[in-house]
Amino acid sequence: MNLFYGLSQAGRAIAAGSHRLSGRATWQASGHGIKFSEGRVRSDGLWGSVSKVVPTNDDLFSVVGAALGYPVGGGGAAVGALVSQLPEFQYEFGVVGGELPALSLHGISAQVPQLPPPAGLDVTLPGVTLTSETTADEISRVSERYPALGGLPPWIGSDGTVLGSVGTGTVILQVDDRERLAFDGAWFKPVGMRRYRRHSFIFPRIAGLDEELHPLQSWWLVLHALSILTRYAPDVRTQMLTISESRDASRIEFLLDTALSAVPELIAEVIDEELQQEGFEASESDAS
């Protein structure tokens, strides 16, 4: 519970210093703007329970989302979907129930900071096994769930098949517009990749939400759900954290342990980005 309320206080600080809210009447917030029913956990389990976004415009979740540049208009996300796109969780446990993970990719190597289109972007998509029968529509149904890849069609070879590594999930997406790529000094990467603890990832749009979440928002919803259980259903929380009674105990303990290091780093990255927008540069020691 302390983890969530600590994040809430950090969110207020992020909102107070955000250049995106400079024209807003107030950066101050009232209410959480999110709801989680501890009663649903008893019937649906933690991973199947939904964290709902119920914006009022001046609620804290909405204000912080606007400050991050990731406003969420409403909807709900299953906790299993939220944790599945947290890189630490997916590396340790995989995804929950076929949910979509965050994607890591190198991008397109370049010797000079110029790239004539079209270009091929290698991406390993979850749930895809490329064969000679794989269609472009099958690929797009997955790639379109990732906003940074939206509108990038699979590259079709002269024989009419989707190009990529047969037998794996790696396909080549065709980039026709140079503006869809950002050059970082060594690689061309899709615009929309997010920095997460000094690494870059492409995050999916979660089913039930119309907008992509910033990873700090995903942690926000997860920690809020766990804090609700701690406060209003301590018996359920105790059972879930008992190794002998819960298959999810180790996963929940891992999430809580990871949050202690991941969330402060994400907050520091957000502040660092804000400083750069304002013309300052934070040193690595300052950000920590």
Side-chain angles (χ1 to χ4, degrees):
M1 190 161 63
N2 289 337
L3 277 170
F4 172 69
Y5 283 103
L7 175 56
S8 296
Q9 292 303 311
R12 295 178 188 275
I14 290 170
S18 172
H19 71 281
R20 294 187 178 91
L21 300 185
S22 59
R24 191 183 178 111
T26 177
W27 53 264
Q28 296 180 352
S30 175
H32 289 304
I34 51 180
K35 291 184 177 180
F36 183 79
S37 173
E38 72 279 3
R40 300 296 300 180
V41 177
R42 301 179 190 274
S43 58
D44 300 337
L46 177 61
W47 309 132
S49 299
V50 173
S51 183
K52 296 182 179 179
V53 179
V54 285
T56 62
N57 293 325
D58 63 347
D59 64 87
L60 186 56
F61 193 77
S62 293
V63 170
V64 173
L68 294 171
Y70 284 75
V72 179
V79 176
L82 293 167
V83 300
S84 292
Q85 69 166 0
L86 298 175
E88 302 91 346
F89 186 92
Q90 72 183 58
Y91 290 160
E92 188 73 18
F93 300 105
V95 297
V96 175
E99 298 289 353
L100 293 178
L103 303 181
S104 176
L105 54 89
H106 288 299
I108 304 171
S109 181
Q111 300 299 318
V112 294
Q114 300 291 332
L115 184 69
L121 179 68
D122 288 11
V123 179
T124 300
L125 296 174
V128 171
T129 302
L130 188 63
T131 71
S132 60
E133 304 299 321
T134 302
T135 67
D137 285 344
E138 291 176 85
I139 300 301
S140 295
R141 276 196 292 271
V142 180
S143 64
E144 291 293 327
R145 292 282 303 279
Y146 292 86
L149 302 178
L152 300 181
W155 198 303
I156 306 300
S158 57
D159 60 354
T161 62
V162 175
L163 297 183
S165 180
V166 174
T168 73
T170 302
V171 301
I172 301 176
L173 301 182
Q174 184 172 324
V175 184
D176 293 313
D177 184 357
R178 171 67 179 80
E179 297 301 314
R180 293 296 305 272
L181 299 170
F183 187 64
D184 71 354
W187 302 88
F188 288 99
K189 296 182 178 181
V191 171
M193 287 193 77
R194 269 230 56 88
R195 188 169 64 154
Y196 184 96
R197 305 185 75 182
R198 300 178 299 280
H199 299 279
S200 295
F201 293 90
I202 295 176
F203 290 91
R205 182 184 297 109
I206 295 177
L209 295 174
D210 292 333
E211 298 88 359
E212 174 190 4
L213 291 176
H214 186 287
L216 194 61
Q217 291 170 299
S218 297
W219 273 111
W220 195 294
L221 293 172
V222 169
L223 292 177
H224 174 259
L226 294 176
S227 75
I228 292 295
L229 287 177
T230 299
R231 185 171 184 177
Y232 297 109
D235 59 322
V236 176
R237 177 187 179 277
T238 299
Q239 183 179 18
M240 287 195 309
L241 288 175
T242 303
I243 294 291
S244 61
E245 297 183 23
S246 171
R247 59 182 297 181
D248 294 325
S250 61
R251 299 183 181 190
I252 297 169
E253 288 182 354
F254 178 84
L255 280 170
L256 294 172
D257 289 342
T258 301
L260 290 171
S261 57
V263 172
E265 284 191 41
L266 289 176
I267 293 169
E269 287 180 351
V270 169
I271 294 173
D272 186 23
E273 290 172 4
E274 185 64 36
L275 289 173
Q276 292 181 31
Q277 285 288 336
E278 297 294 333
F280 298 98
E281 288 191 11
S283 67
E284 188 168 322
S285 59
D286 290 338
S288 61

